[in-house]
């Protein structure tokens, strides 16, 4: 029996499948984020928000705040707030851009790299544990196909190419 705080996703019979997909993706992302954030906090490592920023920095050579903003789809103010906190914790450092004094690069400190390594292991373990209960993950080709579909959806949203009349 399910607890009252954990409910399955309701089927929205009054909306189309595409709209249902958006509802499911949104709820799943929120629940997954919350579960991972809770596990990270219990382990005494970084929060999910900090983990995401550290992942971004680790994946982009000469990472700039604008790169984090674009990659994570968050506001400039949000990036500044997150970087200020990570810098305060000693996980990142701002390094002046020699070719443009108005900007800086964000580098991970040794402490940040260690925190990211610990968080990566816990996120991978938790994700694998959750996905072990989903039948399609037992078949790598189905999972790869699903990931490809999600990547395509993300690309459509990043490029905003669904509507020629769409204005930013």
């Amino acid at each position: 029996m399910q607890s009252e705080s954990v409910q399955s996703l309701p089927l929205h019979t009054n909306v189309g499948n595409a709209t249902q997909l958006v509802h499911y993706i949104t709820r799943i992302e929120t629940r997954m984020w919350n579960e991972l954030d809770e596990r990270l906090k219990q382990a005494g490592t970084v929060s999910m928000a900090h983990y995401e920023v550290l992942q971004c920095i680790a994946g982009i050579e000469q990472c700039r705040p604008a790169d984090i903003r674009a990659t994570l789809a968050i506001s400039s103010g949000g990036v500044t707030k997150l970087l200020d906190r990570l810098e305060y914790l000693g996980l990142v450092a701002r390094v002046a851009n020699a070719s443009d004094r108005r900007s800086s690069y964000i580098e991970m400190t040794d402490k940040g790299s260690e925190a990211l390594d610990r968080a990566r292991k816990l996120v991978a373990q938790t994700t694998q544990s959750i996905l072990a209960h989903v039948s399609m993950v037992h078949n790598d080709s189905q999972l790869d196909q699903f990931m490809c579909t999600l990547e395509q959806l993300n690309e459509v949203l990043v490029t905003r190419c669904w509507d020629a009349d769409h204005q930013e």
Side-chain angles (χ1 to χ4, degrees):
M1 184 171 154
Q2 284 183 322
S3 71
E4 289 182 43
S5 64
V6 178
Q7 300 173 2
S8 83
L9 298 169
L11 290 176
H12 300 282
T13 56
N14 59 339
V15 295
N17 284 341
T19 304
Q20 277 185 311
L21 176 65
V22 173
H23 288 288
Y24 279 122
I25 289 172
T26 303
R27 300 307 168 266
I28 291 166
E29 187 275 339
T30 301
R31 287 185 172 110
M32 181 68 87
W33 180 282
N34 291 342
E35 180 65 26
L36 292 169
D37 193 51
E38 183 61 30
R39 298 274 180 107
L40 289 168
K41 286 178 184 176
Q42 287 174 356
T45 188
V46 296
S47 69
M48 262 310 280
H50 293 165
Y51 169 77
E52 288 287 316
V53 174
L54 292 174
Q55 280 276 92
C56 185
I57 294 167
I60 300 173
E61 191 173 332
Q62 295 188 320
C63 184
R64 300 167 299 139
D67 298 322
I68 298 168
R69 183 188 60 74
T71 301
L72 300 181
I74 58 177
S75 69
S76 296
V79 171
T80 299
K81 185 176 179 179
L82 285 165
L83 290 176
D84 287 348
R85 183 68 180 151
L86 287 169
E87 190 171 35
Y88 174 79
L89 294 171
L91 302 177
V92 302
R94 290 177 169 100
V95 178
N97 180 344
S99 62
D100 182 356
R101 294 186 324 183
R102 296 171 295 163
S103 69
S104 61
Y105 295 116
I106 309 302
E107 293 182 354
M108 207 170 332
T109 63
D110 289 342
K111 184 178 177 182
S113 293
E114 291 168 8
L116 179 59
D117 287 343
R118 285 191 316 273
R120 278 178 172 160
K121 289 174 186 169
L122 185 57
V123 167
Q125 178 185 35
T126 302
T127 303
Q128 288 172 354
S129 176
I130 292 167
L131 292 179
H133 298 281
V134 179
S135 62
M136 76 177 291
V137 300
H138 298 294
N139 181 328
D140 285 341
S141 67
Q142 286 180 322
L143 182 57
D144 289 345
Q145 184 178 3
F146 182 61
M147 287 296 301
C148 183
T149 300
L150 291 177
E151 287 170 10
Q152 289 174 16
L153 178 58
N154 186 59
E155 185 62 26
V156 165
L157 293 168
V158 167
T159 60
R160 300 181 135 188
C161 65
W162 70 85
D163 183 353
D165 296 329
H166 180 75
Q167 300 293 320
E168 289 193 46

